[in-house]
Amino acid sequence: KQEVTQIPAALSVPEGENLVLNCSFTDSAIYNLQWFRQDPGKGLTSLLLIQSSQREQTSGRLNASLDKSSGRSTLYIAASQPGDSATYLCAVKGGGADGLTFGKGTHLIIQP
Amino acid sequence: DAGITQSPRHKVTETGTPVTLRCHQTENHRYMYWYRQDPGHGLRLIHYSYGVKDTDKGEVSDGYSVSRSKTEDFLLTLESATSSQTSVYFCAISASVTEAFFGQGTRLTVV
């Protein structure tokens, strides 16, 4: 059974810092890995999708990397802003039609 | 934003009553999913559909049933609601083994 772990569970940093969120998964046979953002009381917003054949994806100040063989992904946030405060979720897609397996998230607070 | 609408957005119901949550999409995506989100457990898959009338169980399917009679609609039914089914329910869609998009969620409270 696939298990996804996110470290740290919570993180508080001052504005302007670069930071890294970590995600690990136990079964390397994945089709893709997706990073989401969730604001309190809201749905999930897709940030980045990395296919299993890719090493990284970038969108603005966000960069996600994937090392499938070691079962690890990182989300790098450059020049953090208070508006980046949210919970960040990592999820992997295995084979077949079934859905994503999620980590429990990293709760991020950016202090002004 | 992907065209996904969940209804209702909030519901309070009594133990033992049936409840149906609706997910409607305008993207014509083949795959639809129901998840629940609980503190300490994260998001877990309840049921999913890979086409009209084609559904299967996820990790936490006990006490839930689903139906998909049209591409755009995926219904989740709690046959007899229990307090353990108090949760936030999310619908998601995807075209294939690609990016998944989520609805805004339904907050269900069973009293």
Side-chain angles (χ1 to χ4, degrees), chain A residues 1 31-32 34 36 38 41-49 51 89 93-94 96-104, chain B residues 9 31 33 35 37 40-45 48-50 59 90 94 96-105 107:
Chain A
K1 176 187 172 186
Y31 274 163
N32 61 48
Q34 200 166 350
F36 295 89
Q38 186 176 29
K42 304 294 185 182
L44 281 69
T45 300
S46 179
L47 297 174
L48 289 164
L49 172 73
Q51 300 292 354
L89 297 164
K93 177 78 175 70
D98 59 348
L100 297 166
T101 301
F102 281 85
K104 294 181 180 178
Chain B
R9 293 294 312 281
Y31 299 92
Y33 310 87
Y35 293 85
Q37 185 175 35
H41 291 280
L43 280 119
R44 294 176 291 174
L45 182 67
Y48 61 96
S49 170
Y50 46 97
E59 178 187 357
F90 287 100
S94 67
S96 62
V97 188
T98 56
E99 194 169 10
F101 299 96
F102 281 72
Q104 290 301 298
R107 184 173 296 273

